[in-house]
Amino acid sequence: MKKSLTADQVSLIVERSSNGSPPTLTEIAALLRLTSKAATEALFEGARKLREIYFGNRVFLYGFIYLSTYCRNNCAFCHWRTELTTLSRYRKTADEIYGAAIELAAAGVSLIDLTMGEDPQLLTPDGFELLCQTAAKIGQQTQLPIMLSPGVLSQTQLSMARRAGVTWYALYQETHNRNLFKAWRRGQDFEKRMKSKKKAAAMGFLVEEGVLLGAGATPEDLADSIVAMGKLGATQLRAMAYVPSPGGLPPDYRVKASNQELLMIAVLRLSYPRALIPASLDVEGLQGLAPRLSAGANVVTSLVPAYLGLAGVAHQALDIENHNRGVEKVSEILTSNDLSVGQPQEYQELLRQMKRNNHL
Ligand code: SAM
Ligand code: MD0
Ligand code: SF4
């Protein structure tokens, strides 16, 4: 087995990234295997510096509305997979979704993420039309960009979302290794999922791509994913540690997924310094936020209002009803890490730049 990179070697990779030469595939895999504290800190420090160059101390907050937990898919890692027939699920009404969005906007988020399982009812022509109308109404009223995370969409559905003014299409491949994809996103088509994102990008959507950690992807698989994310033209890049779902996909006990998530956030920052890279509250709640920010994340996702009966994806309820996923608590953590809440106007200026440049 090869020796782990030293702090000095990591610093050299960081320096090259700052000069426009991102880490190679081999280097990415080696960085994702770091264990020493000094080397890891050199990586995180480099990632923070790169974030600072492109974003200053600004971190953007995304409001999250999981509007329907019904899903026709059977992803082995997901708590909401269809085979769990006894789960209690919900589908929010248009008014409830609108109300939650208004509350999030008033609290100061920069974006509203409308997420759902592949709910057959919402994917009918009428169901999807109503969803698009709701998204358009939220956009008009809040003046905030909307992200839609609805699963795979047809060309027609993408056009409808575009006409409704939706800015972002979020669709995570989880892995770019087809064998793993088959085992994780059971019964789904790898190509179709990729194509849906490519079509969306060509239509003018901004695209978010993401990977799942701690479920069996090797550092080499993850290095391939980092390259694939760039090729796709995605400008928001996500890595989330697998929160094991009982009876579902067994976790990969060889890795500590939350540590790997931090390494991955930092390596994404080195590879794509201008990218939006989320720290999700959905994996380890509020207490997991500071480490993710220290690794170079510049977006906090999954802010959820309390008392509206809304769920998370990876965790059903973690930190929601105690207000830990609210703007106030998140802002406190930002401040104590010398960061500040990016304002919606700044965020929109950033998106305009992203659209103009068309790549990272
Ligand atoms: N149903 C749509 C879909 O799958 O594209 C939208 C929901 S999507 C935002 C759900 C995402 O949450 C998945 O793509 C996956 O990356 C993540 N996720 C789901 N279950 C998880 C778990 N148990 N641990 C970590 N991440 C999970
Ligand atoms: C999050 N649970 O932000 C959400 C979700 C969907 N666009 C995002 C994975 O962590
Ligand atoms: Fe459904 Fe999305 Fe969960 Fe897969 S990840 S089961 S598509 S909600």
Side-chain angles (χ1 to χ4, degrees):
M1 193 151 129
K2 280 195 219 127
K3 277 227 204 98
S4 189
L5 295 174
T6 63
D8 286 347
Q9 288 171 320
V10 172
S11 299
L12 274 177
I13 297 175
V14 167
E15 201 182 311
R16 272 197 283 110
S17 305
S18 312
N19 294 328
S21 302
T24 63
L25 280 176
T26 320
E27 286 168 346
I28 292 175
L31 290 169
L32 293 173
R33 287 198 167 91
L34 286 184
T35 47
S36 106
K37 205 161 180 268
T40 311
E41 193 35 55
L43 172 63
F44 293 169
E45 196 190 324
R48 289 196 295 273
K49 279 198 183 134
L50 277 169
R51 176 184 61 201
E52 164 130 38
I53 292 173
Y54 293 100
F55 298 93
N57 66 353
R58 294 289 193 250
V59 170
F60 299 102
L61 311 187
Y62 287 9
F64 178 67
I65 303 176
Y66 199 13
L67 58 98
S68 170
T69 60
Y70 287 91
C71 188
R72 64 186 173 197
N73 282 340
N74 207 17
C75 303
F77 54 83
C78 183
H79 182 72
W80 301 103
R81 63 188 183 277
T82 196
E83 72 186 9
L84 301 180
T85 47
T86 54
L87 268 189
S88 91
R89 301 180 191 252
Y90 66 79
R91 179 182 299 115
K92 296 295 179 190
T93 64
D95 285 348
E96 287 167 333
I97 299 165
Y98 178 74
I102 297 298
E103 186 173 332
L104 284 162
V109 303
S110 285
L111 171 141
I112 305 290
D113 178 1
L114 300 178
T115 292
M116 58 193 241
E118 288 195 13
D119 179 347
Q121 188 161 316
L122 292 178
L123 292 169
T124 59
D126 286 353
F128 200 70
E129 177 58 37
L130 179 61
L131 180 63
C132 288
Q133 280 170 15
T134 310
K137 187 170 153 195
I138 292 171
Q140 277 150 19
Q141 188 63 35
T142 63
Q143 291 296 302
L144 295 179
I146 310 280
M147 172 182 275
L148 202 57
S149 314
V152 173
L153 293 183
S154 67
Q155 176 88 44
T156 311
Q157 289 166 325
L158 283 170
S159 303
M160 287 165 74
R162 197 78 196 112
R163 277 199 300 278
V166 171
T167 299
W168 284 94
Y169 182 48
L171 191 72
Y172 317 138
Q173 204 71 14
E174 325 300 349
T175 175
H176 299 80
N177 171 327
R178 284 156 201 266
N179 290 328
L180 292 178
F181 183 93
K182 218 169 149 187
W184 297 0
R185 284 199 161 268
R186 294 179 296 201
Q188 296 167 53
D189 185 331
F190 183 96
E191 283 307 329
K192 199 170 161 200
R193 201 166 172 88
M194 286 304 290
K195 272 196 194 134
S196 192
K197 288 178 267 211
K198 286 182 189 150
K199 266 191 250 156
M203 290 166 72
F205 284 99
L206 292 170
V207 172
E208 181 181 16
E209 174 62 299
V211 291
L212 191 65
L213 309 172
T218 63
E220 284 71 21
D221 289 326
L222 295 170
D224 289 342
S225 282
I226 289 185
V227 173
M229 286 169 154
K231 277 199 188 135
L232 178 64
T235 49
Q236 182 162 301
L237 312 176
R238 168 185 295 263
M240 270 173 74
Y242 175 41
V243 177
S245 175
L249 189 65
D252 177 356
Y253 292 106
R254 294 170 302 180
V255 294
K256 188 161 186 321
S258 52
N259 286 351
Q260 200 176 55
E261 186 180 320
L262 302 181
L263 294 171
M264 189 70 180
I265 287 173
V267 175
L268 282 168
R269 176 64 63 211
L270 259 52
S271 304
Y272 304 108
R274 292 181 169 82
L276 290 163
I277 302 176
S280 173
L281 294 167
D282 211 23
V283 179
E284 294 184 308
L286 189 66
Q287 61 133 11
L289 181 55
R292 286 165 174 77
L293 294 168
S294 299
N298 65 334
V299 176
V300 184
T301 66
S302 221
L303 278 86
V304 181
Y307 302 132
L308 297 181
L310 289 164
V313 177
H315 279 284
Q316 267 180 293
L318 176 69
D319 267 355
I320 296 181
E321 305 306 351
N322 61 5
H323 296 274
N324 272 358
R325 296 224 209 163
V327 171
E328 205 174 314
K329 288 289 178 62
V330 169
S331 306
E332 283 169 18
I333 305 277
L334 292 188
T335 310
S336 56
N337 284 274
D338 294 323
L339 295 165
S340 67
V341 177
Q343 295 306 303
Q345 294 88 329
E346 297 171 295
Y347 180 67
Q348 283 171 43
E349 178 50 37
L350 186 76
L351 296 192
R352 277 192 286 275
Q353 276 172 28
M354 265 184 174
K355 284 190 173 164
R356 268 200 304 276
N357 297 344
N358 214 8
H359 60 84
L360 285 171

